[in-house]
C-alpha cells in the first residue's frame, strides 16, 4: 500500500485487488461493516486508497 498525494477514486474491483481480496468479499463488507470507507456515487461504489490504508491500519477491518 503506497502513499498517494493526488489520488482519485478507484472502483470496487480495483479496491478489492488493492486489498488482495475478491470483489464479492468487498461487496459483503459494504453491507456488513458500517465503518468501511466506501463512497456510493450513483450506483457505483468508489474508494480512496489512503482511506482504505487508514481503515486497515486502525484494525477496524479485523472486527465484525
Amino acid at each position: 500500500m503506497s502513499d498517494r498525494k493526488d489520488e482519485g477514486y478507484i472502483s470496487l474491483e480495483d479496491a478489492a485487488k488493492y486489498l488482495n481480496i475478491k470483489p464479492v468479499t468487498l461487496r459483503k463488507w459494504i453491507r456488513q461493516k458500517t465503518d468501511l470507507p466506501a463512497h456510493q456515487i450513483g450506483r457505483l461504489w468508489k474508494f480512496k486508497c489512503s482511506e482504505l490504508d487508514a481503515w486497515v491500519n486502525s484494525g477496524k477491518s479485523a472486527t465484525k
Side-chain angles (χ1 to χ4, degrees):
M1 296 186 217
S2 63
D3 281 337
R4 293 181 177 189
K5 293 188 180 184
D6 201 20
E7 72 172 325
Y9 289 99
I10 60 172
S11 69
L12 185 137
E13 290 77 15
D14 289 338
K17 193 179 297 185
Y18 184 75
L19 294 170
N20 200 28
I21 60 172
K22 294 185 178 187
V24 68
T25 302
L26 189 52
R27 286 186 190 96
K28 180 177 147 188
W29 287 359
I30 290 169
R31 288 192 305 272
Q32 293 177 343
K33 297 179 182 276
T34 57
D35 61 343
L36 179 71
H39 307 274
Q40 190 169 15
I41 301 173
R43 292 177 31 190
L44 301 176
W45 287 99
K46 298 291 184 174
F47 304 84
K48 286 192 173 190
C49 293
S50 61
E51 293 176 352
L52 291 173
D53 288 340
W55 182 67
V56 170
N57 291 333
S58 73
K60 293 179 182 177
S61 63
T63 61
K64 277 191 167 181

